[in-house]
Amino acid sequence: MTAPDLPAELKAALDTRLQGLSRTHAAERAAIISKTYRDGGGSAAIRTETDALAYALARMPATYAAVVASLNALREIAPDFAPKSLLDIGAGPGTATWAAAEAFSSLQSFHLVDANRALRALALDLAGGSARLRDLDYRQGEARGALADAEAADLVVASYMIGEIGEAERKALTELMWAKTRDTLLLVEPGTPAGYARIIAVREQLIASGAHVAAPCPHDGQCPLQAPDWCHFTQRLPRSRAHRLLKSAELPFEDEKFAYVALTRAPPAQRLARVLAQPVVTKIEVTAKLCTPDGLDIAKLPRRAKAAYARARRWRWGDAVTITTGRPGDPSTPRLRRGHDGGPPKP
Ligand SMILES: C[S@@+](CC[C@H](N)C(=O)[O-])C[C@H]1O[C@@H](n2cnc3c(N)ncnc32)[C@H](O)[C@@H]1O
């Protein structure tokens, strides 16, 4: 599985560019850009070379980690998937392209699209030092226009992008992205209720067009979660010194919350249950909230079911896991007890 920290050559390229920069100015720009995002604005606030670099230094490690985590989940479900071509929509500084290149050694061609001139320039500059990525093709323009005559790709990715466009535009772009997907379309969004809602909307739209869900859901049915609950995951990533300085942060790591969906043309060969929150481990049992092919469940794995208990102790939020439904009275296999929307299981 791919590690969540930026590849060494990308880290080095960012650090080199930071050297010629006033850290105070970069931190100010990063703060303004972050505030614009928090207030619902998009990447339009990123206009200059410094803005693009400040954005990349502040956000690229976290969005990279979220894309890597989503690709790792996809690879677990589809271990034979070996895409040759990538289309990265709303590519910005090239984050998802770097992540996909790390995750799939099979990738040979990289096509990126973005409306933002400053981010495109930075992406080309960063990729220039990479033997693998230096020949990437990066179109500048509105996604729909730029995609219209683009060739279809095995893997299409839009990471932290669809939140920047309106609903009607998103629907049209979703249709176009799917039309350009030969095998798998991956969408990654912030792990907020709003990010999840966008993921669910795309998921529903494309299932209606014949898509299947490879991850995180082990089914193509309606999401069983009900508000105020929402499906999201978290990825811990290291913070470099530059990253900490730019964000005036103390901790040497941060946790990125994200939501994602990987949609495929063919149904996935396996459907594993997904752990939807960090399991609670006590000396008596492990309790885990799972999305299963049959819906939402709270798995109770008692300590007396030794092997299952030992396995479940290692489960982490976001993992795909195999569960065995035990027979009543059989302590050797776990019992699943259907809960309601993550609430306490019914007796
Ligand atoms: C938050 S950034 C994410 C960048 C990158 N995918 C990442 O994960 O780091 C969103 C990107 O989407 C691009 N974008 C938003 N709307 C777009 C559109 N209609 N056409 C093309 N690019 C768009 C922005 O310019 C920006 O680079």
Side-chain angles (χ1 to χ4, degrees), residues 37 43 55 63 90-92 95 114-116 119 141-143 159-161 164:
Y37 276 119
S43 308
Y55 169 79
T63 57
T95 323
D114 201 290
N116 190 298
L119 286 170
E142 284 299 312
S159 104
Y160 291 79
M161 188 267 177
E164 297 203 3

Side-chain angles (χ1 to χ4, degrees), residues 76 272-281 285-292 297-302 307-325 333-336:
E76 209 176 348
L272 301 178
R274 183 74 52 188
V275 181
L276 292 188
Q278 190 54 36
V280 178
V281 180
E285 63 188 7
V286 176
T287 307
K289 179 182 174 186
L290 303 176
C291 190
T292 79
D297 269 298
I298 303 297
K300 296 271 182 190
L301 301 114
Y309 176 83
R311 249 197 339 265
R313 274 178 69 93
R314 294 193 294 273
W315 287 354
R316 296 286 172 267
W317 184 1
D319 283 358
V321 299
T322 311
I323 42 170
T324 327
T325 307
T333 51
R335 294 269 296 130
L336 281 180

Side-chain angles (χ1 to χ4, degrees), residues 193-211:
Y196 160 74
R198 289 190 288 272
I199 291 283
I200 286 298
V202 170
R203 181 186 182 278
E204 277 177 12
Q205 182 182 338
L206 292 183
I207 287 172
S209 300

Side-chain angles (χ1 to χ4, degrees), residues 12 16 28-29 50 68 86 88 103 171 202 230 248 280 300 333:
T16 307
E28 276 167 14
R29 289 306 299 161
T50 307
V68 160
L86 173 79
D88 181 357
K171 278 194 179 146
V202 170
W230 76 102
S248 309
V280 178
K300 296 271 182 190
T333 51

Side-chain angles (χ1 to χ4, degrees), residues 37 41-44 46 55-56 59-64 66-67 88-97 113-117 119-120 138-146 157-166 169 173 188-190:
Y37 276 119
S43 308
I46 302 168
Y55 169 79
R59 284 298 293 152
M60 216 174 168
T63 57
Y64 177 90
V67 177
D88 181 357
I89 299 163
T95 323
T97 294
V113 170
D114 201 290
N116 190 298
R117 195 180 293 274
L119 286 170
R120 176 182 180 272
Y138 198 138
R139 289 189 197 192
Q140 196 219 320
E142 284 299 312
R144 270 214 286 160
V157 182
S159 104
Y160 291 79
M161 188 267 177
I162 56 168
E164 297 203 3
I165 54 182
E169 174 69 8
L173 181 63
V188 186
E189 281 290 289

Side-chain angles (χ1 to χ4, degrees), residues 10-340:
L10 175 57
K11 225 182 294 174
L14 284 168
D15 283 348
T16 307
R17 276 145 195 88
L18 183 65
Q19 273 157 26
L21 203 69
S22 147
R23 300 223 169 154
T24 318
H25 182 46
E28 276 167 14
R29 289 306 299 161
I32 290 169
I33 292 163
S34 295
K35 184 172 181 322
T36 309
Y37 276 119
R38 278 198 305 278
D39 295 347
S43 308
I46 302 168
R47 292 192 199 97
T48 65
E49 201 180 321
T50 307
D51 290 349
L53 189 53
Y55 169 79
L57 288 162
R59 284 298 293 152
M60 216 174 168
T63 57
Y64 177 90
V67 177
V68 160
S70 311
L71 289 172
N72 282 341
L74 166 67
R75 285 165 65 205
E76 209 176 348
I77 299 297
D80 297 332
F81 180 45
K84 289 206 170 78
S85 50
L86 173 79
L87 197 49
D88 181 357
I89 299 163
T95 323
T97 294
W98 280 88
E102 281 295 302
F104 294 106
S105 56
S106 55
L107 278 171
Q108 291 166 5
S109 67
F110 303 88
H111 302 274
L112 296 80
V113 170
D114 201 290
N116 190 298
R117 195 180 293 274
L119 286 170
R120 176 182 180 272
L122 176 65
L124 292 176
D125 194 26
L126 295 172
S130 156
R132 188 105 183 276
L133 297 178
R134 76 166 59 105
D135 294 328
L136 57 76
D137 159 59
Y138 198 138
R139 289 189 197 192
Q140 196 219 320
E142 284 299 312
R144 270 214 286 160
L147 271 181
D149 63 343
E151 256 188 54
D154 298 335
L155 175 62
V156 178
V157 182
S159 104
Y160 291 79
M161 188 267 177
I162 56 168
E164 297 203 3
I165 54 182
E167 202 180 322
E169 174 69 8
R170 191 186 65 220
K171 278 194 179 146
L173 181 63
T174 296
E175 202 181 310
L176 189 54
M177 289 192 292
W178 187 239
K180 299 292 173 184
T181 301
R182 264 196 224 113
D183 192 300
T184 301
L185 170 64
L186 173 70
L187 282 112
V188 186
E189 281 290 289
T192 56
Y196 160 74
R198 289 190 288 272
I199 291 283
I200 286 298
V202 170
R203 181 186 182 278
E204 277 177 12
Q205 182 182 338
L206 292 183
I207 287 172
S209 300
H212 301 276
V213 185
C217 332
H219 58 83
D220 296 340
Q222 215 180 344
C223 176
L225 295 181
Q226 283 166 25
D229 201 359
W230 76 102
C231 182
H232 65 293
F233 303 93
T234 180
Q235 177 63 55
R236 179 156 290 187
L237 60 130
R239 275 184 180 144
S240 67
R241 199 166 158 270
H243 193 189
R244 282 210 302 273
L245 283 173
L246 205 76
K247 292 184 127 179
S248 309
E250 300 277 319
L251 288 174
F253 63 84
E254 68 186 41
D255 292 318
E256 175 70 3
K257 288 195 170 62
F258 64 101
Y260 73 100
V261 68
L263 296 150
T264 49
R265 294 241 167 235
Q270 47 177 347
R271 298 285 207 186
L272 301 178
R274 183 74 52 188
V275 181
L276 292 188
Q278 190 54 36
V280 178
V281 180
T282 67
K283 285 184 178 157
I284 299 166
E285 63 188 7
V286 176
T287 307
K289 179 182 174 186
L290 303 176
C291 190
T292 79
D294 301 321
L296 198 63
D297 269 298
I298 303 297
K300 296 271 182 190
L301 301 114
R303 191 174 190 152
R304 65 177 186 281
K306 278 192 185 148
Y309 176 83
R311 249 197 339 265
R313 274 178 69 93
R314 294 193 294 273
W315 287 354
R316 296 286 172 267
W317 184 1
D319 283 358
V321 299
T322 311
I323 42 170
T324 327
T325 307
R327 292 179 299 281
D330 177 358
S332 62
T333 51
R335 294 269 296 130
L336 281 180
R337 294 203 291 167
R338 189 165 293 274
H340 170 68

